[in-house]
Amino acid sequence: MSDQNNDVSNTRAGAVDERTIYELSIPGRRGCEMPPCDVPETEFPQALLRDESGLPEVSELDVVRHFVRLSQRNFGVDTGFYPLGSCTMKYNPKICEASARLEGFTGTHPLQPEHTVQGNLELMFKLQQWLQEIGGFAAVSLQPTAGAQGELTALLMMRAYFRDRGETGRTQVLIPDSAHGTNPASTTMAGFEALEIPSDEHGNVDLAALRAACDDSVAGLMLTNPNTLGLFEAQLEEVIACVHGCGGLVYGDGANMNALTGIACPGALGVDLMHFNLHKTFGTPHGGGGPGSGPLGASAALADYLPGPVVQRVAGDEGDGTSYALFSPARSIGRMSTYFGSFGVFVRAYAYILHHGAEGLRANAEHAVLNANYLRSRLRDVLPLPFERTCMHEFVLEGRIEGSDVRALDISKRLLDFGIHPPITYFPLIVPEALMIEPTETESKQTLDNFVEVMEVIAREAGNNPELLHAAPHNTVVGRLDEVRAARQLKLSESS
Ligand SMILES: *Cc1c(COP(=O)(O)O)cnc(C)c1O
């Protein structure tokens, strides 16, 4: 038992072929054949040859089996239900992938002259415009490559904005205690001080505490709406008025736009800046270190500070058919990424928005909210529900069962045995044993019903056989990990 716990990787013996592609190598084995040489043979410059390249010598079948096996060791939205709250792990339509692979896009280079990449620029321009419309903003920059980077970008813009106004005493950023950890991290990175605002008993921002904090030392508030409890900020107008009233700006953390897209425009409600997570709301891949994209929307007062380059439409009198050009906004804080951001993700998001249209996007948000409320109303009999309110696209349960020592972590690990990815566990921090569940709109009623049945089974097991849950998962390639040791003694290479 203790041995197993000390082994961070805890792979089940014999369950899988653990060999690396290098260990599969057999000298002389080949995976491809070169076509017959049709040019005169000549000596290859020795200086370019390495003695020991160490490349594996494997057959095509070795390669296929190795990589398909590796791909199956990962849990993905393409293999099972993935109700990971806050992450919006909706199905990414394959048409988006196919679009991103079109040769017209993959064959372009970011250093090409603008007049040769008009199609790429047009796509970026339209995506900017659609996001402007969806968010209710005056302008959008596609530069940030993640939601967190969008936050940092916005905070740097706030600093520049207040510096230009001579209001350098604004050093504090208010952050509700239900916020994502990236909010205080971005605040600190941007040189502000984070001040936590508590939530009230309904799970919303505590208005009295907010009022007490709002003065001329405040640069702004970072607000996630719906918040990470999946609850709509019921006193949104008062919250925004309070921050604007003291001269501060309101930043919208747009990670939860899957609940609002096509229904409410944060910009129209008074939000000054907001990031979108294309990899959450707009059907593009995320997780596992893939590319992300966190475009930033800005109100008219802040648009000039956006990072460039952004794309604008031009008159087209260059004589070379140029209709779109790159430019840097007048008071831009500068670049936030190399080149143009995650272009491949833009193509996917463009295809996704084009495919769904305004009505489809709204229907998605409505179904996401419906699915979450269906699960909430069925699961509230299985686990404690801390806030008895209609939720938006996600909700939080408490992973504890009367009379059992089973914890949220045990429930999450046991779900893996049933082929279901765990919900977000232990976040938000203000709910003990939090399990944050986001089904998304792409799941069917049958999948949701199956999830409820599995949760009922697990709740029964917690009473009858808690040890089974403490030791879960049992059916996965890798057993229960020592997460503390994995974090403290991070192993980043195969060999050491
Ligand atoms: C995901 C998320 C973020 C950060 O977005 P990344 O793209 O992962 O950097 C910020 N806030 C909330 C509420 C989120 O769910």
Side-chain angles (χ1 to χ4, degrees):
M1 179 75 183
S2 63
D3 264 7
Q4 218 184 32
N5 278 350
N6 284 340
D7 176 6
V8 169
S9 67
N10 198 11
T11 306
R12 294 181 206 293
V16 281
D17 188 340
E18 277 293 310
R19 285 173 298 169
T20 66
I21 193 89
Y22 295 95
E23 288 163 348
L24 292 172
S25 181
I26 303 283
R29 187 166 285 176
R30 291 160 63 148
C32 64
E33 279 169 28
M34 303 299 279
C37 184
D38 59 355
V39 292
E41 283 193 25
T42 147
E43 248 343 89
F44 199 78
Q46 281 302 317
L48 295 181
L49 288 176
R50 279 176 294 168
D51 287 344
E52 272 303 317
S53 67
L55 291 177
E57 296 177 70
V58 285
S59 71
E60 181 175 320
L61 182 57
D62 291 335
V63 173
V64 168
R65 287 207 177 130
H66 180 73
F67 286 106
V68 171
R69 188 167 55 235
L70 283 184
S71 77
Q72 289 171 340
R73 295 182 66 174
N74 208 357
F75 194 103
V77 71
D78 286 359
T79 47
F81 183 41
Y82 208 134
L84 191 71
S86 212
C87 293
T88 313
M89 300 300 292
K90 61 167 88 175
Y91 173 67
N92 304 319
K94 293 295 168 260
I95 187 150
C96 302
E97 291 302 315
S99 307
R101 277 200 294 272
L102 288 173
E103 236 178 274
F105 294 122
T106 58
T108 50
H109 191 280
L111 291 178
Q112 269 179 247
E114 286 176 19
H115 74 271
T116 67
V117 288
Q118 285 294 299
N120 300 32
L121 296 183
E122 179 176 352
L123 181 139
M124 288 174 68
F125 179 77
K126 287 191 174 158
L127 184 59
Q128 284 170 197
Q129 289 220 307
W130 288 341
L131 294 176
Q132 265 169 241
E133 190 179 334
I134 289 167
F137 293 107
V140 163
S141 168
L142 302 176
Q143 275 269 303
T145 49
Q149 209 196 12
E151 295 170 18
L152 176 65
T153 307
L155 289 156
L156 294 175
M157 288 169 63
M158 286 188 186
R159 261 180 58 157
Y161 172 82
F162 286 122
R163 192 184 52 227
D164 283 358
R165 294 164 63 96
E167 298 180 51
T168 47
R170 296 192 180 269
T171 55
Q172 303 209 64
V173 172
L174 311 179
I175 303 176
D177 60 4
S178 60
H180 196 267
T182 50
N183 289 190
S186 307
T187 298
T188 309
M189 275 187 78
F192 288 112
E193 197 187 322
L195 186 72
E196 189 173 281
I197 303 293
S199 301
D200 65 17
E201 70 274 23
H202 307 295
N204 287 142
V205 171
D206 185 321
L207 256 189
L210 180 70
R211 288 210 173 98
C214 278
D215 58 29
D216 62 6
S217 72
V218 168
L221 165 77
M222 297 183 87
L223 189 71
T224 311
N225 186 40
N227 66 21
T228 61
L229 298 163
L231 301 174
F232 193 88
E233 200 54 57
Q235 294 162 302
L236 185 67
E237 281 179 45
E238 288 92 332
V239 167
I240 291 177
C242 189
V243 177
H244 284 166
C246 75
L249 298 168
V250 176
Y251 179 72
D253 178 330
N256 290 343
M257 274 302 281
N258 211 44
L260 299 184
T261 303
I263 300 173
C265 288
L269 296 169
V271 169
D272 301 290
L273 292 157
M274 185 188 84
H275 78 256
F276 297 84
N277 297 68
L278 297 188
H279 48 286
K280 292 181 182 174
T281 315
F282 296 101
T284 70
H286 62 161
S293 181
L296 188 67
S299 65
L302 287 144
D304 275 352
Y305 293 89
L306 280 170
V310 292
V311 182
Q312 65 183 353
R313 200 198 268 279
V314 293
D317 53 6
E318 312 286 317
D320 56 6
T322 300
S323 306
Y324 299 93
L326 295 164
F327 85 108
S328 187
R331 295 171 179 279
S332 176
I333 58 161
R335 279 180 174 279
M336 288 302 287
S337 60
T338 52
Y339 300 125
F340 310 111
S342 302
F343 184 77
V345 177
F346 304 160
V347 180
R348 291 174 175 90
Y350 177 91
Y352 184 86
I353 296 172
L354 186 67
H355 175 73
H356 284 96
E359 281 172 26
L361 292 178
R362 184 188 172 103
N364 285 351
E366 289 171 348
H367 285 131
V369 173
L370 181 64
N371 276 358
N373 278 290
Y374 177 71
L375 275 189
R376 183 186 59 87
S377 65
R378 289 205 59 191
L379 288 173
R380 58 194 288 279
D381 299 329
V382 182
L383 291 176
L385 177 72
F387 297 99
E388 273 290 352
R389 281 175 57 182
T390 303
C391 65
M392 297 298 285
H393 65 309
E394 64 192 0
F395 61 99
V396 177
L397 293 173
E398 291 175 28
R400 56 182 178 82
I401 288 159
E402 274 304 305
S404 166
D405 63 351
V406 157
R407 307 178 59 209
L409 183 70
D410 302 319
I411 297 172
S412 286
K413 295 295 183 192
R414 183 67 178 139
L415 275 168
L416 287 164
D417 286 335
F418 293 90
I420 295 173
H421 195 282
I424 284 274
T425 308
Y426 298 119
F427 181 79
L429 305 175
I430 55 176
V431 174
E433 299 297 318
L435 288 173
M436 184 200 223
I437 299 169
E438 179 180 7
T440 82
E441 73 278 13
T442 52
E443 300 299 337
S444 66
K445 180 168 179 297
Q446 288 70 30
T447 301
L448 303 185
D449 286 338
N450 177 61
F451 178 58
V452 173
E453 281 156 29
V454 167
M455 289 293 276
E456 286 166 349
V457 169
I458 293 176
R460 277 199 297 277
E461 288 174 346
N464 312 335
N465 190 0
E467 278 314 308
L468 182 73
L469 270 64
H470 293 320
H474 303 278
N475 304 338
T476 50
V477 175
V478 175
R480 177 82 65 111
L481 300 173
D482 180 342
E483 295 179 355
V484 174
R485 189 165 160 229
R488 296 258 162 85
Q489 296 176 24
L490 199 58
K491 190 173 145 192
L492 291 172
S493 73
E494 276 194 87
S495 51
S496 63

